[in-house]
Amino acid sequence: MTPRPLPSLVAAIVALALVATGPLIGLDVTRSAPDSFGEGDATVAAVDIDDSELRVTAGRFGTDVSYLRVPTARVTVDEVTGRPRLVYLVAVPSAGIDLVSTALVTEPAQTYAVDPGDQGIESGSLERGTITATVTVRVQSFSVDRTVTRQNVTVEVQA
């Protein structure tokens, strides 16, 4: 009877994995990208938000809902230490709206897209014309809470 190569090969792979991940070599195969923010900081090189996309429009298909359309913030990060996050806030006090979206910053020299999505508003609750929104982007961690940009934007109410 000849030895079967498959069980021997499987045993060799298992033994190799045990040796590689054991205390002698210490290869860590369980490490993954962080999924929550913590201590750290980030240096922001640029923030791109197309203010003209921030507007209130009618809902589709005859619904009795209007929508605050919110543009995606594209934030370019030069440097990062630890696990900070980007916080994108859009506030429209006259409509009682506060939208928040976050993105974990894990890699330097990268552009992050932060998008809180659109917000439904009861149709007729805002008059046609303009309202004011405040758009803010912050870098935040357990030890840092720094505003990168904050601006008031005039929002056109089309619905």
Side-chain angles (χ1 to χ4, degrees):
M1 184 171 199
T2 60
R4 297 182 359 200
L6 188 57
S8 299
L9 180 62
V10 170
I13 291 172
V14 169
L16 181 62
L18 288 173
V19 169
T21 60
L24 185 61
I25 296 177
L27 181 66
D28 186 359
V29 295
T30 62
R31 189 174 299 160
S32 63
D35 60 357
S36 64
F37 83 106
E39 289 295 332
D41 199 357
T43 303
V44 173
V47 176
D48 182 26
I49 302 170
D50 185 355
D51 296 342
S52 67
E53 291 183 26
L54 187 61
R55 62 189 183 280
V56 176
T57 62
R60 298 170 123 184
F61 310 113
T63 61
D64 196 27
V65 177
S66 298
Y67 287 92
L68 174 65
R69 308 294 181 179
V70 180
T72 299
R74 300 196 188 292
V75 183
T76 303
V77 174
D78 273 348
E79 298 176 20
V80 63
T81 58
R83 295 185 331 260
R85 68 181 177 177
L86 298 169
V87 180
Y88 177 31
L89 303 124
V90 177
V92 184
S94 63
I97 296 174
D98 287 310
L99 298 175
V100 179
S101 184
T102 64
L104 186 64
V105 179
T106 57
E107 298 293 327
Q110 194 162 333
T111 299
Y112 293 85
V114 191
D115 185 4
D118 298 337
Q119 172 71 42
I121 305 169
E122 184 179 335
S123 206
S125 63
L126 296 175
E127 293 183 21
R128 286 184 183 264
T130 59
I131 56 175
T132 301
T134 302
V135 176
T136 307
V137 174
R138 299 185 344 227
V139 172
Q140 187 180 67
S141 72
F142 292 145
S143 58
V144 173
D145 191 357
R146 183 177 61 257
T147 299
V148 177
T149 185
R150 180 184 175 114
Q151 57 190 5
N152 290 327
V153 178
T154 300
V155 178
E156 184 179 352
V157 179
Q158 301 169 345

